[in-house]
Amino acid sequence: MVEDETELRELLGRALKRQGHAVDLAADGTDGLHFATEYPIDLAIVDLGLPGESGMEIVRKVRERELKYPVLILTARSDWQDKVEALESGADDYVTKPFRIEELMARVNALLRRSAGHAAPEVRIGPLAVNLSSQQVSLHGEAMELTTFEYKVLEYFMLHPDQVVSKMELNEHLYDEDADPDSNVIEVIIGRLRKKLDPDGVWQPIETLRGRGYRFRQADD
């Protein structure tokens, strides 16, 4: 997220983290462009009025580099021409200040779902269903209790089924830039998920690929 208003930046950063997101914060367009083009991010929230690179320039340069992730614009400008210019530059949505945090969170979640190919909030794979809005998980129709990190790993797997996901990739999507997780945290979380998702070893949804990472396998019919 790139926002030069300190209070708003920190407020939104805390709110996003409470939702389980790993968040990197930038206070100006120069640092924001670095994050936007050099980090493996899922979504960018960019204020238009920034010192250094403008928000509009960040969006243009992100799209010039053919980075596909969604971009949500924050703007204090009510002029419709600015909003049209931002969308035509490659932004996916915008929120006009002042706004309610609940609206921003809803738009963030909707953009993340759509970028993964899901219009509806619920994602299903075999007997497993995950509601990306409420963060509720059910298996065979029964509600499951997961820790925050267990849910985030499962959510990432559900949005990337049958893809090889490295341990580093999971770390980058679970933790902020300056976090230093223990080396075996991912293995512990994966082990817990396996026990909760497949206690009888029938489905075996999480495959370990030696030297490459993990793959979440879609269930047979």
Side-chain angles (χ1 to χ4, degrees):
M1 180 171 64
V2 197
E3 168 59 60
D4 62 326
E5 294 180 38
T6 302
E7 185 176 351
L8 178 59
R9 182 177 65 252
E10 293 178 353
L11 174 67
L12 295 181
R14 290 193 298 269
L16 286 162
K17 289 177 182 179
R18 284 196 299 270
Q19 289 280 319
H21 299 290
V23 186
D24 294 314
L25 303 175
D28 59 61
T30 303
D31 288 343
L33 181 62
H34 176 71
F35 278 122
T37 55
E38 301 298 331
Y39 281 59
I41 64 176
D42 296 309
L43 177 140
I45 302 173
V46 181
D47 184 32
L48 282 186
L50 293 169
E53 296 277 353
S54 71
M56 207 78 76
E57 281 302 306
I58 291 175
V59 176
R60 289 194 183 103
K61 289 178 180 179
V62 162
R63 296 311 184 215
E64 285 172 1
R65 299 191 187 197
E66 299 185 351
L67 297 168
K68 306 293 187 184
Y69 59 76
V71 178
L72 175 65
I73 289 292
L74 302 182
T75 177
R77 306 170 188 174
S78 58
D79 193 343
W80 66 267
Q81 287 97 335
D82 290 326
K83 298 171 184 175
V84 169
E85 183 182 359
L87 293 172
E88 290 184 342
S89 296
D92 298 272
D93 199 358
Y94 65 86
V95 175
T96 303
K97 300 176 183 179
F99 55 82
R100 295 188 65 86
I101 290 180
E102 293 82 358
E103 178 189 4
L104 180 73
M105 296 303 162
R107 290 179 182 270
V108 164
N109 290 331
L111 287 173
L112 289 172
R113 291 199 310 268
R114 290 170 193 158
S115 68
H118 301 282
E122 186 172 85
V123 180
R124 287 181 172 271
I125 293 180
L128 185 64
V130 175
N131 189 302
L132 303 177
S133 294
S134 65
Q135 298 189 356
Q136 293 177 318
V137 181
S138 63
L139 183 68
H140 298 292
E142 298 291 331
M144 290 185 63
E145 291 294 330
L146 299 178
T147 67
T148 299
F149 282 152
E150 288 170 356
Y151 173 80
K152 293 307 295 182
V153 169
L154 179 61
E155 179 189 76
Y156 195 73
F157 279 145
M158 292 287 282
L159 293 175
H160 302 83
D162 292 326
Q163 297 181 26
V164 178
V165 178
S166 69
K167 178 181 172 182
M168 181 179 296
E169 187 176 348
L170 286 173
N171 270 325
E172 287 169 341
H173 287 82
L174 285 176
Y175 299 101
D176 303 334
E177 174 201 10
D178 55 355
D180 185 23
D182 295 333
S183 60
N184 67 338
V185 166
I186 295 297
E187 286 91 338
V188 171
I189 295 172
I190 296 292
R192 290 176 180 169
L193 276 177
R194 282 180 168 138
K195 291 179 181 178
K196 292 182 178 182
L197 296 176
D198 189 34
D200 299 323
V202 176
W203 178 13
Q204 298 183 357
I206 304 175
E207 296 180 280
T208 298
L209 306 172
R210 189 178 298 276
R212 291 183 290 163
Y214 305 96
R215 179 166 53 209
F216 197 81
R217 191 171 67 85
Q218 301 218 38
D220 297 331
D221 291 340

